[in-house]
Amino acid sequence: MPRENINDLLAFLAVAQERSFTRAAGKLGVSQSALSHTIRALETRMGVRLLSRTTRSVSPTDAGERLLQTVRPRLEEIEAEIAAVSELGEKAMGAIRITAIDHVIDSVLWPRLAPVIAEYPDLRLELSADYRMVDIAAERFDIGVRYGDQVQKDMVAVRLTPEVPMTIVASPRYFETHKVPTCVRDLARHNCITIRLSSSGGLYAWELLDDGRKVDAKVSGQIIVNGAYQLLNAALSGYGLAFLPEELTQPHVEAGRLRRVLDEACPPFAGLHAYYPSHRNSSRALRIVIEAIRHRA
C-alpha cells in the first residue's frame, strides 16, 4: 500500500470517529480545508464515497463504516506492537490520554501526576475534562476516571480514593431569605442549583437518603450548570442549594462562606476508580501512570 494511503486512512478514521471535520482537524493538527482535501483524494483513489456530509453532521457511509470497523482494529494492533517494542528500552515513552471530571483532574490526578512528568520527560499526558460517560475504547483514551459504581464490568478498575463524602450546602446569605431544609421533601420548595448531564441532556437527580431509603431527588432552581466549579460558585454567590463532594465545600464551610444541611441525607459516593480495557496491552507508560495515581491507604 502506498504510504500516503496510510496517512489518509488515519485522517479518515479521525473524521469518522469524531463525526466532525472541525474536531478531527484539531485532533490531527491540520486545517479543516486540508483535511477535507485529503478525504476527497482518498475517496477518489478508492472509487467509493466514505463519508456522508451535510451542513450539520458527518457520518460514515456503508463503505466507510466497513473501513472503520475493519481497519481501525488493525492499526491499533500495529500501534500496540510498536509500543511493545519501545518497552524494550529503559525509557517510559509515549502518550497517555485520560478522561475525568474537571475537579477530579485538579484535586486527585494532577497532584499525583505532576512528579511523574518531571521524572519521565519522554512521557506525554493528555488530561481531558468531561462529564460524559466516555467510551474510552471508541474515543481512544487510555484511562477513564469515574466513581466505582459507574465502571463497566469488562474494565480493569484501580481504586484512586476511598468513598467520597457528599454535602448539601448553601451560603448564609441564601438562608437569610429561605428556611433551612429539615428533610429531603423540603428540597422541592428550595432553589436548587442543578447540573445538566452531557450524556442524556437531562438534569441530574440528587442521590440521597430519605429516612434511610435511597431516592433520586429531582430538584430544580433558577440556575443550571454543567460543571462542579460553576455549581460551587453559584452556591457561594447565594443563589441556592448545591450538592457537591465534601472536598470542594469543606474549606468554604470552615471559613463560614457555606453552611451544610441535611448531612444525614447524603450517603457517600463509591470511591473514584481509574479504568481501562482488560484486553489493552499494559505499556510501561501506562503502568507508571496507574502506579502514580492509585490509592494508598
Side-chain angles (χ1 to χ4, degrees), residues 4-287:
E4 64 269 19
N5 277 4
I6 297 178
N7 293 332
D8 292 355
L9 281 173
L10 292 173
F12 160 73
L13 291 176
V15 177
Q17 289 170 212
E18 294 293 334
R19 298 296 201 270
S20 164
F21 275 92
T22 302
R23 290 194 297 270
K27 183 178 178 180
L28 295 171
V30 300
S31 69
Q32 187 174 342
S33 60
L35 181 58
S36 180
H37 176 76
T38 296
I39 298 301
R40 284 197 300 269
L42 177 63
E43 290 176 326
T44 299
R45 288 198 303 276
M46 296 187 68
V48 64
R49 194 172 183 81
L50 300 174
L51 294 170
S52 176
R53 308 163 177 83
T54 69
T55 55
R56 294 186 177 182
S57 66
V58 178
S59 60
T61 62
D62 289 343
E65 186 64 31
R66 177 175 177 177
L67 198 62
L68 178 65
Q69 297 302 323
T70 56
V71 171
R72 184 178 68 179
R74 289 167 172 79
L75 290 177
E76 288 176 348
E77 289 175 7
I78 293 171
E79 289 178 352
E81 289 303 321
I82 292 173
V85 171
S86 299
E87 291 300 305
L88 298 177
E90 296 182 356
K91 292 183 178 180
M93 302 175 64
I96 299 296
R97 302 183 69 226
I98 306 175
T99 174
I101 296 170
D102 50 5
H103 76 84
V104 171
I105 290 176
D106 290 355
S107 63
V108 178
L109 297 181
W110 181 244
R112 302 178 190 184
L113 289 173
V116 174
I117 294 294
E119 185 175 355
Y120 299 98
D122 294 310
L123 176 66
R124 301 190 308 278
L125 287 178
E126 179 179 341
L127 303 173
S128 176
D130 204 323
Y131 278 73
R132 294 181 301 124
M133 291 302 296
V134 174
D135 183 339
I136 62 172
E139 300 192 30
R140 299 174 66 81
F141 283 98
D142 298 286
I143 299 171
V145 177
R146 291 293 182 267
Y147 294 108
D149 58 349
Q150 298 174 338
V151 177
Q152 296 176 346
K153 301 297 184 184
D154 60 343
M155 294 286 175
V156 177
V158 178
R159 179 178 284 275
L160 303 188
T161 69
E163 288 187 330
V164 178
M166 298 297 293
T167 60
I168 298 175
V169 295
S171 73
R173 173 184 162 192
Y174 176 78
F175 288 122
E176 290 175 2
T177 54
H178 297 80
K179 291 183 179 179
V180 175
T182 59
C183 65
V184 172
R185 291 180 293 279
D186 287 349
L187 295 176
R189 296 191 292 272
H190 276 269
N191 217 356
C192 295
I193 308 159
T194 54
I195 282 186
R196 177 80 65 188
L197 297 173
S198 301
S199 299
S200 67
L203 297 180
Y204 170 66
W206 294 3
E207 300 169 68
L208 304 176
L209 293 176
D210 187 6
D211 291 331
R213 294 182 301 104
K214 291 183 178 181
V215 296
D216 292 335
K218 295 181 179 180
V219 298
S220 62
Q222 286 182 286
I223 299 177
I224 299 171
V225 298
N226 66 352
Y229 290 122
Q230 294 79 28
L231 195 62
L232 176 63
N233 289 335
L236 286 167
S237 298
Y239 289 108
L241 295 165
F243 184 50
L244 285 163
E246 182 182 72
E247 64 177 353
L248 286 181
T249 62
Q250 195 59 27
H252 300 288
V253 171
E254 293 172 357
R257 293 185 290 268
L258 291 175
R259 176 178 174 182
R260 292 174 64 152
V261 297
L262 296 178
D263 277 353
E264 70 284 354
C266 299
F269 279 11
L272 288 164
H273 286 68
Y275 64 93
Y276 55 93
S278 57
H279 56 76
R280 189 191 187 285
N281 287 334
S282 181
S283 68
R284 184 164 184 248
L286 179 66
R287 293 196 300 271

